[in-house]
Amino acid sequence: MTHDPQSPMAVGSLPSWASERGEAVDPPAADAVAHLLALSGARVRGSLSEATPDLVRTVLLETLPQFLSVAPGDEGAALGVLRVLADRTRADGRLNAKRHARLRDATDGCAEEHLRVMRDPRELTLSRY
């Protein structure tokens, strides 16, 4: 995966794009989500991984809890990243309204379980180990 910071879809542009819309996206969370999506098999276009509903579920419920430990209160950072990623992809014309809605629904549908797993001290991450 090549990274072009000038690309309109580069990972680093998500936080600034979200900020322009009055939303906050944690840059390390954006980086982690984009890379975990790519490692989970997401297609990469414009220096950013393209999410699908199945990949959203995999990243939120399996991959992130195993590899990423977050500070208390930051458990939902990945949810915000995935919502902004879906919105940005839609705004750039890479998603139609139906696919955009499915991505948002997948993220929202996993939110409660994702937060529970991310708070569970028994989930094994390197820092918890």
Side-chain angles (χ1 to χ4, degrees), residues 13-26 84 88:
S13 72
L14 278 178
S16 60
W17 190 81
S19 179
E20 290 170 9
R21 296 177 39 163
E23 300 177 52
V25 169
D26 181 53
V84 168
R88 177 66 190 260

Side-chain angles (χ1 to χ4, degrees), residues 69-89:
S69 188
V70 295
D74 290 338
E75 297 92 349
L79 296 167
V81 170
L82 286 165
R83 289 179 184 119
V84 168
L85 176 59
D87 293 349
R88 177 66 190 260
T89 306

Side-chain angles (χ1 to χ4, degrees), residues 2 7 11 17 22 47 60-61 64 66 68-69 72 76 80 88 93 96-97 103 118:
T2 60
S7 168
V11 174
W17 190 81
S47 299
L60 287 177
L61 302 179
L64 266 169
Q66 290 178 351
L68 187 67
S69 188
R88 177 66 190 260
N96 63 28
L103 274 179
M118 291 302 288

Side-chain angles (χ1 to χ4, degrees), residues 6-111:
Q6 299 305 315
S7 168
M9 284 292 290
V11 174
S13 72
L14 278 178
S16 60
W17 190 81
S19 179
E20 290 170 9
R21 296 177 39 163
E23 300 177 52
V25 169
D26 181 53
D31 191 49
V33 168
H35 285 91
L36 290 174
L37 281 168
L39 290 170
S40 297
R43 191 167 120 186
V44 178
R45 284 182 33 182
S47 299
L48 195 61
S49 303
E50 291 186 351
T52 65
D54 288 339
L55 287 174
V56 165
R57 288 181 200 91
T58 297
V59 167
L60 287 177
L61 302 179
E62 298 171 21
T63 312
L64 266 169
Q66 290 178 351
F67 294 104
L68 187 67
S69 188
V70 295
D74 290 338
E75 297 92 349
L79 296 167
V81 170
L82 286 165
R83 289 179 184 119
V84 168
L85 176 59
D87 293 349
R88 177 66 190 260
T89 306
R90 169 78 174 135
D92 286 347
R94 294 182 179 187
L95 282 179
N96 63 28
K98 193 180 259 187
R99 287 181 58 212
H100 177 254
R102 282 196 299 257
L103 274 179
R104 293 292 301 236
D105 289 346
T107 302
D108 294 343
C110 293

